[in-house]
Amino acid sequence: MSPLVDMRCVTKSYGRGSTTIKALDSVSLEAHLGELVQLTGPSGAGKTTLLNLISALDRPNRGEILVAGTKVTGLSLARAAKYRNRQVGIVFQSYNLLPQLTALENVLLPMIPNGRMDRDRALELLDAVGLVDRSAHRPAQLSGGEQQRVAIARALANDPVLVLADEPTGNLDDENARNVMTLLCRTCRNRGSTLIVVTHDRDIMHIVDTVFELRGGIIARVKAAASEATPGS
């Protein structure tokens, strides 16, 4: 079966004055439909750069990235925006909820470009993250953990095949972080979405299928999916 996400020898460099910083160095990565992937590594290792490239927010210097068979590295700005809206859900560390909107309205927001406002689906998603009774509350009336749960529901609003999460629990205390991370993995698993999550949380290593580590722009697989593991490993 072809992978949903297929990164092929991707290199990304940035200029900083007279210095060139190589964020990713010939990185190859595959993630299949429904797979939960954890991406770890020290700060500055290229983890956020990798997610930005997969979401077509940035372009590599070399290599190509295919998602569901589409080469996303060559998309125009308009087509990249449509790709993100229809196929990718993004969970940010800082929640990025609109403060003037209720939880329900924040979940409905990504549906607008598609010309539909499915209130029942939005309420179903809030129910899935345990917040249907808080649907009329604005972000300021919610705790950090609750805001991130709304952000997870919003990321799933258009039923994306791919969910990208960049340190989604970085602003939460330990208990809330564990709860939110477990919820994110379980929700993506139940809905059959592929999840690529950047996190240092080792508690979820037993939940996810595959773990990759980035160091100095080089990627290595730390844990393989059970279907790929060799007998006795």
Side-chain angles (χ1 to χ4, degrees):
M1 181 185 297
S2 299
L4 177 76
V5 179
D6 189 2
M7 297 186 69
R8 302 175 179 174
C9 297
V10 170
T11 294
K12 180 64 181 179
S13 300
Y14 297 98
R16 185 175 297 170
S18 59
T19 304
T20 299
I21 306 296
K22 188 171 284 188
L24 298 176
D25 187 3
S26 297
V27 166
S28 294
L29 174 151
E30 292 184 358
H32 290 81
L33 186 62
E35 187 175 3
L36 306 185
V37 177
Q38 180 180 0
L39 190 62
T40 68
S43 178
K47 303 183 299 295
T48 297
T49 296
L50 187 147
L51 293 190
N52 286 343
L53 293 174
I54 294 174
S55 61
L57 288 169
D58 202 354
R59 295 187 180 189
N61 301 101
R62 291 194 303 275
E64 62 180 13
I65 302 169
L66 289 85
V67 176
T70 298
K71 186 177 178 180
V72 303
T73 41
L75 295 177
S76 66
L77 291 178
R79 290 188 64 193
K82 185 178 292 187
Y83 153 71
R84 282 190 295 274
N85 181 256
R86 293 184 177 178
Q87 293 186 263
V88 183
I90 301 177
V91 183
F92 302 94
Q93 178 177 332
S94 55
Y95 323 139
N96 283 11
L97 301 178
L98 292 185
Q100 69 271 30
L101 301 183
T102 65
L104 176 62
E105 290 166 342
N106 268 285
V107 176
L108 287 167
L109 195 61
M111 300 180 186
I112 294 175
N114 294 332
R116 65 182 182 91
M117 296 282 280
D118 191 338
R119 179 185 173 89
D120 288 341
R121 173 166 174 76
L123 288 171
E124 175 196 340
L125 288 167
L126 285 172
D127 188 37
V129 298
L131 287 176
V132 70
D133 61 334
R134 308 278 278 170
S135 61
H137 289 68
R138 290 184 169 81
Q141 299 170 298
L142 302 173
S143 68
E146 288 172 333
Q147 289 184 60
Q148 192 58 295
R149 284 152 63 191
V150 173
I152 292 171
R154 180 187 59 189
L156 297 169
N158 289 327
D159 200 21
V161 294
L162 175 62
V163 176
L164 304 175
D166 191 2
E167 295 282 9
T169 60
N171 291 330
L172 304 178
D173 60 63
D174 289 346
E175 182 178 0
N176 267 315
R178 283 192 299 273
N179 293 339
V180 166
M181 190 64 71
T182 301
L183 175 67
L184 176 61
C185 291
R186 186 177 69 239
T187 305
C188 288
R189 177 81 77 193
N190 290 343
R191 293 184 171 272
S193 300
T194 300
L195 170 67
I196 301 178
V197 55
V198 170
T199 178
H200 300 285
D201 186 357
R202 292 189 171 273
D203 290 340
I204 71 160
M205 289 186 72
H206 69 284
I207 302 175
V208 300
D209 302 305
T210 310
V211 180
F212 289 98
E213 183 177 44
L214 265 173
R215 285 186 177 273
I218 306 295
I219 198 165
R221 183 156 53 182
V222 178
K223 173 190 173 184
S227 60
E228 300 177 20
T230 56
S233 64

